[in-house]
Amino acid sequence: KSSQGRLESFFKPM
Amino acid sequence: MLELRLVQGSLLKKVLDAMRELVNDANFDCSATGFSLQAMDSSHVALVALLLRSEGFEHYRCDRNLSMGMNLNNMSKMLRCAGNDDIITIKADDGTDSVTFMFESPNQDKIADFEMKLMDIDSEHLGIPDAEYQAIVRMPSSEFARICKDLSSIGDTVVISVTKEGVKFSTAGDIGTANIVCRQNKTVDKPEEATIIEMQEPVSLTFALRYLNSFTKATPLSDTVTISLSSELPVVVEYKIAEMGYIRYYLAPKIEE
């Protein structure tokens, strides 16, 4: 089973 | 005061077509560097980053940094009224809530201006640090588009694996499975037809095909596409825009639970 990652898990808000 | 004159107006139409499936509204940022945009899709899974450098415009005037919120479908409706050979000028005055697109036919016998209302958009900019990628694949953009389209008729996700053998795209669905392997191939007539794989270490990641198919709307902008992969980083799918800059897409991977 896999779930969709979100961008905020990798990049921080500026 | 903002005035950007782009002789190759059709390029702007292609840029819009490359973004509007993914993003509805976005802030275009104008500075001395160029005309740029960063926007995420509504689910914050994919991000598009555009840069059209100021040097690529025939005339580029931007007195102060300006952020213009636009609905991309509305913008596209207006740009579709420009002829493919038209010169497009983007104009905006300080403090106004509209932008004007001026279309000039190549022999100057027809000049049109379309004024579009701007909108306030809460945009969330993400800081994207430079990263070392474990594998970088450069291939013909049409080939990548074909692979994404073909695999999406079989499954919803694709596993992209890079080894020293090549790059493998795999999917599985109710009707069966599919694997497409592209080997490095530098011995081609034209450099844009080459497949080049730079691998530091093998990498394998899973992505939703729906987003990758949206990214391939940028295919008319570039003959080649560069796919940069690292475990636990979003993939970067980059289309270089000749003489101007780039459109880059970032897609968060599927995470094993």
Side-chain angles (χ1 to χ4, degrees):
Chain A
K1 283 282 155 207
S2 65
S3 69
Q4 176 61 59
R6 282 166 59 99
L7 289 165
E8 286 92 339
S9 311
F10 305 94
F11 301 138
K12 290 194 173 64
M14 277 167 81
Chain B
M1 171 83 185
L2 171 92
E3 201 170 282
L4 319 180
R5 184 176 155 93
L6 187 63
V7 174
Q8 205 188 336
S10 60
L11 194 139
L12 202 59
K13 298 167 87 165
K14 289 179 192 168
V15 163
L16 259 288
D17 287 338
M19 300 192 299
R20 62 194 176 84
E21 193 174 285
L22 208 59
V23 176
N24 293 324
D25 305 317
N27 283 317
F28 283 86
D29 297 312
C30 206
S31 72
T33 312
F35 193 59
S36 65
L37 170 151
Q38 190 201 88
M40 278 187 278
D41 81 299
S42 57
S43 56
H44 290 202
V45 170
L47 180 147
V48 55
L50 166 77
L51 175 64
L52 300 177
R53 290 188 195 91
S54 51
E55 304 88 75
F57 291 82
E58 192 210 23
H59 170 72
Y60 191 94
R61 179 178 169 185
C62 176
D63 294 344
R64 63 183 184 90
N65 291 359
L66 196 63
S67 187
M68 297 185 289
M70 301 193 211
N71 175 284
L72 298 192
N73 273 319
N74 293 346
M75 187 177 172
S76 186
K77 277 181 197 169
M78 296 210 161
L79 293 181
R80 254 177 279 166
C81 301
N84 268 333
D85 301 327
D86 281 2
I87 298 163
I88 299 182
T89 303
I90 304 169
K91 288 188 200 180
D93 288 318
D94 287 348
T96 60
D97 58 357
S98 68
V99 60
T100 298
F101 302 107
M102 193 173 91
F103 311 142
E104 292 169 72
S105 63
N107 59 1
Q108 308 280 313
D109 59 355
K110 182 178 167 190
I111 295 171
D113 55 86
F114 286 67
E115 188 179 303
M116 189 177 83
K117 289 175 192 150
L118 294 176
M119 51 199 293
D120 283 324
I121 297 164
D122 283 331
S123 70
E124 295 154 281
H125 265 245
L126 297 182
I128 301 170
D130 285 332
E132 290 284 320
Y133 285 89
Q134 289 164 335
I136 299 173
V137 177
R138 204 193 86 191
M139 64 193 296
S141 59
S142 55
E143 185 61 43
F144 179 63
R146 174 78 199 266
I147 290 168
C148 292
K149 181 170 166 280
D150 287 351
L151 294 186
S152 62
S153 63
I154 313 290
D156 297 329
T157 63
V158 60
V159 181
I160 305 178
S161 309
V162 183
T163 62
K164 60 181 189 322
E165 308 301 323
V167 54
K168 184 167 79 167
F169 300 88
S170 309
T171 194
D174 293 341
I175 63 167
T177 62
N179 294 291
I180 301 170
V181 178
C182 298
R183 292 204 177 89
Q184 173 151 282
N185 179 12
K186 290 179 175 172
T187 55
V188 287
D189 294 339
K190 298 174 192 161
E192 62 268 26
E193 289 169 357
T195 298
I196 297 165
I197 298 167
E198 288 171 34
M199 190 194 76
Q200 309 300 322
E201 50 187 304
V203 59
S204 180
L205 288 161
T206 306
F207 301 100
L209 276 165
R210 181 165 73 87
Y211 292 100
L212 292 176
N213 268 312
S214 287
F215 302 169
T216 64
K217 301 288 182 217
T219 305
L221 284 166
S222 181
D223 288 333
T224 61
V225 62
T226 306
I227 305 156
S228 303
L229 296 146
S230 234
S231 46
E232 299 177 23
L233 264 186
V235 62
V236 191
V237 179
E238 180 183 72
Y239 296 83
K240 285 218 173 2
I241 303 172
E243 326 286 314
M244 296 283 301
Y246 57 78
I247 185 161
R248 286 179 190 149
Y249 301 94
Y250 296 81
L251 177 61
K254 295 261 185 179
I255 298 162
E256 295 300 322
E257 284 179 336

